[in-house]
Amino acid sequence: LVYSKTSSKIDQIILAGEKANLLGLKDIVNQRFKASVVIANPFLGMKQASNISFELIKELAPMMLVSAGLAMRVGDDNKN
């Protein structure tokens, strides 16, 4: 968590990583910062195979940001 003093109001905080789904974390962060808090989901808007559990995707999604991003780059023109 990075914290800096700023005069700008924080409108939204996105929780990501292994502990993003920690019970009560979203509510605590919301109360502390008075901002909208969401849990990251890089799969939002993607089609999901019928044999994959929605609940499993929801649980794993915050931990999959980097790997999902890298997988999406496979077809980019820069060949990175």
Side-chain angles (χ1 to χ4, degrees), residues 3-78:
Y3 178 81
S4 67
K5 195 165 192 156
T6 178
S7 60
S8 301
K9 182 181 181 289
I10 297 172
D11 294 321
Q12 184 179 55
I13 297 171
I14 302 171
L15 300 177
E18 184 179 354
K19 303 301 181 196
N21 285 323
L22 194 64
L23 186 63
L25 179 63
K26 184 176 170 182
D27 293 332
I28 291 168
V29 173
N30 174 267
Q31 290 171 7
R32 170 68 173 88
F33 293 97
K34 307 285 190 261
S36 168
V37 179
V38 297
I39 297 176
N41 183 350
F43 306 115
L44 203 60
M46 290 185 186
K47 291 182 182 178
Q48 179 181 323
S50 60
N51 62 336
I52 298 176
S53 161
F54 174 77
E55 289 303 315
L56 180 61
I57 292 291
K58 187 177 171 183
E59 180 183 332
L60 295 177
M63 296 178 270
M64 303 295 288
L65 288 173
V66 173
S67 54
L70 289 171
M72 286 187 246
R73 291 184 66 174
V74 168
D76 86 10
D77 293 335
N78 296 323

